[in-house]
Amino acid sequence: LGLALDTSEVGVWEYNIDTDTLVWDDRMNDLYGQPKDGKSRTYHHWRDALHPADHKQAQADFADAIKSRGRYVSEYRVRLADGTERHIRSIGNCYRDRDGSSRIVGVNWDVTADVLIKQDLERAKALTEARNAELLAATARIEHTSLHDALTRLPNRRYLDRILEERAARCAES
């Protein structure tokens, strides 16, 4: 299990809802910029690391899991002491321990690279769509220019030839 966790770079945590005790493994401490000292953490260690823009949603996701004693799924950013931002995906599940206490056990992992790739793809898609729209507009302008007189903007001989061809084809089909 240890080898699998090291390879996956997934951090494991357990939160005792009744005592507000949060236990993080070394990978969790790395993810949140905490020392690998084996000490217990509290909800505040997690909350204080949250990016200000994600505070409300991340806390609501966690509170909903505790309230329903169900599954916890959330994605948010954390801001480390050095200003580094990480995108974290977190999944957990509530359970009742043998001693009767309510707990959540879960995993977190850094999805920053995935989020950045997705953002790059979305920007590239938007740029491609904008260029495609420009190309369609340019094509329409070129076609209009080829079928109309530049000075009067009236249809020209080429336009008349096209209309006559279309009408003749329709008549031939009838």
Side-chain angles (χ1 to χ4, degrees):
L1 178 61
L3 178 62
L5 288 173
D6 289 343
T7 303
S8 68
E9 297 185 346
V10 170
V12 179
W13 54 272
E14 183 179 56
Y15 179 64
N16 185 320
I17 298 167
D18 300 329
T19 64
D20 188 38
T21 305
L22 182 60
V23 178
W24 283 352
D25 70 355
D26 286 341
R27 180 64 182 143
M28 283 295 294
N29 285 318
D30 282 342
L31 288 172
Y32 287 82
Q34 295 291 326
K36 297 179 190 179
D37 54 11
K39 292 183 180 178
S40 293
R41 306 288 178 219
T42 65
Y43 175 82
H44 302 287
H45 287 99
W46 173 75
R47 187 197 63 205
D48 294 345
L50 292 174
H51 188 283
D54 297 342
H55 246 237
K56 188 175 182 179
Q57 184 61 50
Q59 287 184 289
D61 292 344
F62 197 73
D64 289 346
I66 290 172
K67 183 178 177 183
S68 69
R69 297 294 197 256
R71 186 165 165 81
Y72 166 65
V73 178
S74 190
E75 194 167 314
Y76 48 83
R77 292 169 291 172
V78 294
R79 188 175 281 167
L80 305 181
D82 65 1
T84 305
E85 263 185 32
R86 288 190 178 137
H87 292 261
I88 303 293
R89 185 166 295 140
S90 186
I91 297 175
N93 209 8
C94 292
Y95 72 98
R96 185 160 305 279
D97 200 10
R98 289 182 192 136
D99 65 5
S101 63
S102 297
R103 298 171 184 255
I104 301 178
V105 66
V107 294
N108 282 23
W109 64 98
D110 186 345
V111 293
T112 304
D114 296 341
V115 169
L116 295 177
I117 288 170
K118 182 180 175 189
Q119 289 172 349
D120 286 346
L121 289 172
E122 288 171 351
R123 279 192 293 273
K125 179 183 176 198
L127 181 61
T128 301
E129 289 173 349
R131 286 181 179 166
N132 189 42
E134 289 174 11
L135 182 60
L136 290 172
T139 301
R141 281 193 309 272
I142 290 169
E143 184 166 350
H144 182 270
T145 301
S146 73
L147 298 174
H148 293 78
D149 180 75
L151 182 63
T152 65
R153 305 264 190 246
L154 293 173
N156 61 19
R157 172 72 187 208
R158 193 160 175 254
Y159 180 84
L160 178 62
D161 290 343
R162 180 185 276 181
I163 294 296
L164 289 174
E165 283 177 25
E166 288 173 5
R167 301 273 166 93
R170 269 194 251 146
C171 286
E173 289 175 5
S174 300

